[in-house]
Amino acid sequence: MTFDLKQHLAAQASRVEAALDQLLQENALEEEIARPPRLLSAMRHGALNGGKRLRPVLVIETARLFARDDDGILQAACALELIHCYSLIHDDLPAMDDDNLRRGQPTVHKAFDEATAILAGDALLTLAFDVIGGETVHGDPAVRLRLSRDLSRASGTGGMAGGQMLDLESEHRERTETEIRLLQSMKTGALLRYACRAGAILADAPAEDVERMSRFGEIIGLAFQLADDLLDVEANPEIMGKATGKDAEAGKATLVGLWGAQRTRDELNKLLVESEKLLAPYEKGAQTLSALADFIVNRSN
């Protein structure tokens, strides 16, 4: 039977969506006082609006590679997706990328207001660390602490948030290839690297495999950003579900802008070859991860 990645991704994304829906219910948790309806509605708008759920799926599939697939993995995957959703809400704000659409829907600050959008992002961010600390995630508290620390570092000053700062500072300025690679490895790559690394850690994989999957995450992180920047130049906004051409308009530093489209495609193909070499020792067990790498390189939205 031929493996259908699109169908598989849709099924995994549905699992993630259902778990996120449960995490964002109106009933307050133990030690919470209340969940204000407007804030919760904004959080749900930002987190339950579809999408490929690539980051949580990478957590799930990497853990499956090492023979773990249970509700604890799903919870850990959701923690990462909560971080990603918070970052999108904040990135879309007028003070940042100033976007009106996200996945074909009004962005949170458009559907609600800026103050509510900021608070919704804050609340999703903090909820992520509540979720990753849950006992179902892993039976060993030291592992949960390690995952929490790694997630903090991937999403904070030395990761995603720091990369966003470098990106803002690069607008309308010349940047070298080294500088652009650094900001992209932080802004986009850090969470994708964490996804693959966390999956291996959750499944108690040997240290060598954790590092191998960390490198795989780095490669697909760069590939994702290169493909994203290429799509911003070439894709149809209706297919993308958001405005395109904004990087050039904002004067953002990208490798596509530095290299041009053809060299970018060549680099994407090289990254795909390297990812396959990393997955080769796992043979058919890595089928889904291999297909995901190919999807990231060749995606149309």
Side-chain angles (χ1 to χ4, degrees), residues 48-266:
L48 301 177
N49 57 0
K52 295 176 287 294
R53 306 298 185 189
L54 177 62
R55 289 155 190 81
V57 169
L58 282 168
V59 176
I60 293 167
E61 295 301 335
T62 306
R64 284 184 67 203
L65 179 62
F66 300 105
R68 187 179 171 198
D69 186 7
D70 53 47
D71 187 58
I73 297 296
L74 186 58
Q75 291 296 300
C78 285
L80 175 56
E81 186 67 357
L82 289 168
I83 294 280
H84 178 56
C85 293
Y86 120 72
S87 74
L88 297 181
I89 293 172
H90 283 191
D91 282 354
D92 289 337
L93 288 166
M96 300 281 274
D97 290 344
D98 194 15
D99 278 314
N100 296 331
L101 286 177
R102 171 67 65 181
R103 295 168 180 161
Q105 300 180 42
T107 49
V108 176
H109 71 276
K110 284 295 181 181
F112 295 84
D113 56 71
E114 287 184 41
T116 303
I118 292 169
L119 287 173
D122 292 345
L124 290 171
L125 166 62
T126 49
L127 179 59
F129 290 97
D130 184 330
V131 175
I132 199 68
E135 291 184 5
T136 60
V137 167
H138 197 283
D140 187 346
V143 173
R144 301 199 301 272
L145 182 60
R146 178 185 182 186
L147 290 167
S148 180
R149 181 203 63 193
D150 286 358
L151 182 57
S152 175
R153 292 180 181 180
S155 57
T157 311
M160 181 186 66
Q164 181 67 39
M165 184 74 257
L166 294 178
D167 192 36
L168 290 171
E169 290 180 334
S170 294
E171 292 180 2
H172 302 291
R173 295 184 184 180
E174 293 291 331
R175 285 290 183 262
T176 66
E177 179 178 326
T178 299
E179 289 171 326
I180 296 171
R181 282 182 179 273
L182 174 64
L183 77 86
Q184 292 187 343
S185 71
M186 295 168 68
K187 179 185 175 183
T188 303
L191 288 189
L192 289 166
R193 178 181 185 272
Y194 171 85
C196 299
R197 183 177 179 84
I201 291 170
L202 283 159
D204 300 314
E208 179 182 349
D209 290 308
V210 171
E211 293 311 311
R212 180 178 286 272
M213 297 315 300
S214 296
R215 176 58 185 158
F216 175 75
E218 288 173 5
I219 291 169
I220 62 172
L222 176 56
F224 185 92
Q225 187 62 61
L226 286 177
D228 203 53
D229 291 342
L230 196 59
L231 286 168
D232 188 68
V233 172
E234 298 181 337
N236 185 316
E238 292 182 6
I239 295 174
M240 288 289 284
K242 64 178 182 179
T244 57
K246 295 203 71 178
D247 287 346
E249 183 182 332
K252 286 185 176 292
T254 68
L255 290 173
V256 176
L258 194 66
W259 292 341
Q262 187 55 55
R263 183 181 167 188
T264 301
R265 293 190 191 94
D266 292 342

